[in-house]
């Protein structure tokens, strides 16, 4: 309901009871008692739940060859997110082949030096690299030619590269759009089965996991049909994880603006995708772990202001995506992409706001996931056991996203009188929601040279409530919650 205070003052209160109450609620903000169902976990996440990607363009355009992987700053930033998967892939990865006899890049080929450097980078970061092989440019006569992949696997084995998982092709449902190649889901399923045999024939990769089929936007009926037919054709038998991609929708009629990042349609659309994905798995590949293997918020080609994705505003959808994914039982979420969205670029490693959100998430959240009974569409809440690396067993963490402009008051009657460790995140400077910086408990987060800033909680005793400012997000840890499910 639209109610301005001017109208409110100009009219008689008793004629406007509905208007008055909505005005007052808005003014005072929402008060919510955070009620958790702690009797059982709805799902669970491990220490690699959240990972990052590196886009194939960085290889294709030579950024990797120019990157200083010995930078102490880069080492600090990457190792702080370890353990994590690093998935390397993207649209250009389907026109990117390995040629061990060249140095650097030549057209769509890359040399062994680049591959060595990438492996070295993952090693220094202490990340586990997932490589997505080129499919589209090697598809001829109704099948995929594995010879380039075998050359690469042989080379990698000879060099002792630890590569835990492999994939085949990126977004095959869009191959026609980008490469004028149409691959049926049945063909892809058969090629995935052969691919698995090929990978496992290398002793070094005998147990490597196979992930696919890397479809995007499965709420599109055609894409849903594709993944369904892929699984019906036996594609799932080749897989250790079913991987999908997700970006929020944008169009000329729904362009990127500040409001877009807090638009309920986006939050709902993502939940819809997870509903579809989990249903498809349940029906056609029961028990197969589901991954979001490449995901972010905005694609840079979106109309409007896609660059807002590296500002504080992006955190609303990002944090919600993590919470929602965990609650739906997804095993891994791989954020696209480390360079350009979490840190500035391959030559300037300044961390952006989402870097710190990622880091805090990894430090605080891990293990069993609980249902929050009092979450609302505009004050969205998720609850997990706190990461046992940071807190004693039994502790829990609630993270909340307030997209209302008014403050929200969260009370925790279930944990009456307990201390809180607050990690409240707000814009880092006067640019507000479009700030390039983020503050933790009102302290702007910036590197101290090559060192991460201190990211300590604000410890509060006996307050019973937490105020989450309007249009902000944050984490609340209850170190003394003593929850049984979190003690195992
Ligand atoms: C990102 O790097 C570019 C190039 O070095 C620089 O001009 C820009 O200021 C950097 N952005 C931030 C937020 O540090």
């Amino acid at each position: 309901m639209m109610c301005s205070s001017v109208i409110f003052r100009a009219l008689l209160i008793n004629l406007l009871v509905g208007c008055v109450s909505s005005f007052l609620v808005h003014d005072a903000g929402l008060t919510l008692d955070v009620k958790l169902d702690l009797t059982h976990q709805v799902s669970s996440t491990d220490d690699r739940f959240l990972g990052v990607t590196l886009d194939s363009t960085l290889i294709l355009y030579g950024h990797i060859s120019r990157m200083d992987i010995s930078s102490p700053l880069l080492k600090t930033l990457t190792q702080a997110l370890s353990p994590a998967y690093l998935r390397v892939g993207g649209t250009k990865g389907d026109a990117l082949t390995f040629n061990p006899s060249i140095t650097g890049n030549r057209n769509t080929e890359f040399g062994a030096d680049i591959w060595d450097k990438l492996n070295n980078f993952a090693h220094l970061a202490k990340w586990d690299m997932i490589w997505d092989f080129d499919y589209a440019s090697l598809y001829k006569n109704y099948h995929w030619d594995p010879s380039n992949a075998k050359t690469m696997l042989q080379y990698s084995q000879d060099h002792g590269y630890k590569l835990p998982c492999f994939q085949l092709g990126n977004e095959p449902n869009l191959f026609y759009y980008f490469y004028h190649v149409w691959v049926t889901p049945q063909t892809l399923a058969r090629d995935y089965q052969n691919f698995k045999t090929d990978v496992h024939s290398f002793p070094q990769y005998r147990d490597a996991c196979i992930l696919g089929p890397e479809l995007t936007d499965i709420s599109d009926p055609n894409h849903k049909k594709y993944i369904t037919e892929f699984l019906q054709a036996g594609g799932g038998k080749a897989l250790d994880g079913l991987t999908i991609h997700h970006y929020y929708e944008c169009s000329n009629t729904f362009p990127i603006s500040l409001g877009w990042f807090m638009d309920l349609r986006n939050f709902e659309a993502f939940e819809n995708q997870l509903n579809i994905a989990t249903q498809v798995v349940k029906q056609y590949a029961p028990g197969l772990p589901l991954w979001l293997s490449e995901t972010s918020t905005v694609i840079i080609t979106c109309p409007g202001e896609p660059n807002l994705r590296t500002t504080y505003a992006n955190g609303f959808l990002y944090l919600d995506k993590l919470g929602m994914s965990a609650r739906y039982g997804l095993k891994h979420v791989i954020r696209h992409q480390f360079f350009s969205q979490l840190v500035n670029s391959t030559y300037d490693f300044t961390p952006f706001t989402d870097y710190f959100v990622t880091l805090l998430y990894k430090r605080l959240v891990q293990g069993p996931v609980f249902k929050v009974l009092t979450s609302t569409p505009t004050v969205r809440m998720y609850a997990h056991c706190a990461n046992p690396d940071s807190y004693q067993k039994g502790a829990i963490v609630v993270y909340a996203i307030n997209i209302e402009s008014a403050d929200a008051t969260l009370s925790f009657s279930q944990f009456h009188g307990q201390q809180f460790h607050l990690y409240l995140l707000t814009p880092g400077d006067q640019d507000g929601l479009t700030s390039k910086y983020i503050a933790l408990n009102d302290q702007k987060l910036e590197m101290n040279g090559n060192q991460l800033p201190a990211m300590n909680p604000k410890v509060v005793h006996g307050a019973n409530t937490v105020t989450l400012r309007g249009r902000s997000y944050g984490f609340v840890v209850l170190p003394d919650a003593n929850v049984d499910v979190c003690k195992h």
Side-chain angles (χ1 to χ4, degrees), residues 183-200:
V183 181
T184 68
Q186 292 76 18
T187 298
L188 189 68
R190 187 205 57 209
D191 283 346
Y192 252 103
Q193 286 170 346
N194 294 333
F195 172 61
K196 178 183 183 169
T197 308
D198 287 339
V199 170
H200 289 176

Side-chain angles (χ1 to χ4, degrees), residues 43 78 102 192 197 200 219 242 336 340 355-356 379 404 434-435 471:
S43 55
T78 54
I102 64 169
Y192 252 103
T197 308
H200 289 176
S219 59
L242 191 76
H336 192 70
S340 86
Y355 174 83
F356 292 109
V379 183
E404 300 267 4
T434 61
S435 176
R471 301 217 162 133

